[in-house]
Amino acid sequence: QVQLVESGGGLVQAGGSLRLSCAASGGTFNPYGMGWFRQAPGKEREFVSAITWSGGNTYYSDSVKGRFTISRDNAKNLVFLQMTSLKPEDTAVYYCAYARMTGLIAAERYHYWGQGTRVTVSS
C-alpha cells in the first residue's frame, strides 16, 4: 500500500506562487504516472496536471497551462507542483495521486490518493 502525503499549501495573494510537494512511502513505488487534482468548495474534483514516471511526459489542464509546472524526483519518490501567477479561482484542496496505467487525465485511473493540502488565493 502506497501512502502519499502532500505539503506546501497555504494562503497566498493573487499573483503569488506556491510549491506543492508529494512524498510517497510504503509499498512498492512504481507508478506509471503521478498526478495532481484539486477540488474547490462546492465543485467536483478536477484534473490539474500529471507526469509519467519514467519518461517525464507532462500534462496540464487548460486552466493552469503556462502557470503551473509539474516535476518529479525519481530517486526520492517525490512529485512537485510549482504554481505561479495564482488566481483566486485556484483556491482548492490539492491532491496528489498515483496511477498504474495510462490515461492520466482521468481520476478513475488513479489508485492511491493523498489527503490533500489546502491552497487559498486571496484577491
Side-chain angles (χ1 to χ4, degrees), residues 2-73:
V2 173
Q3 288 86 44
L4 303 174
V5 178
E6 303 94 338
S7 61
L11 173 64
V12 64
Q13 289 188 333
S17 300
L18 283 174
R19 189 193 195 206
L20 305 184
S21 300
C22 174
S25 62
T28 300
F29 188 80
N30 186 29
Y32 174 80
M34 296 293 293
W36 287 96
F37 288 75
R38 67 186 182 187
Q39 187 166 18
K43 296 187 177 181
E44 294 187 352
R45 190 171 298 190
E46 66 172 352
F47 171 78
V48 175
S49 182
I51 187 167
T52 58
W53 199 247
S54 60
N57 296 319
T58 57
Y59 307 89
Y60 298 95
S61 68
D62 288 342
S63 62
V64 307
K65 196 173 295 182
R67 300 188 298 122
F68 291 10
T69 303
I70 191 170
S71 60
R72 77 211 191 286
D73 183 331

Side-chain angles (χ1 to χ4, degrees), residues 37 45-47 97-99 103-111 113:
F37 288 75
R45 190 171 298 190
E46 66 172 352
F47 171 78
Y98 171 121
L104 297 178
I105 295 176
E108 57 266 27
R109 294 290 189 171
Y110 291 81
H111 294 77
W113 293 81

Side-chain angles (χ1 to χ4, degrees), residues 95-106:
Y95 298 90
C96 170
Y98 171 121
R100 292 196 185 114
M101 62 185 70
T102 188
L104 297 178
I105 295 176

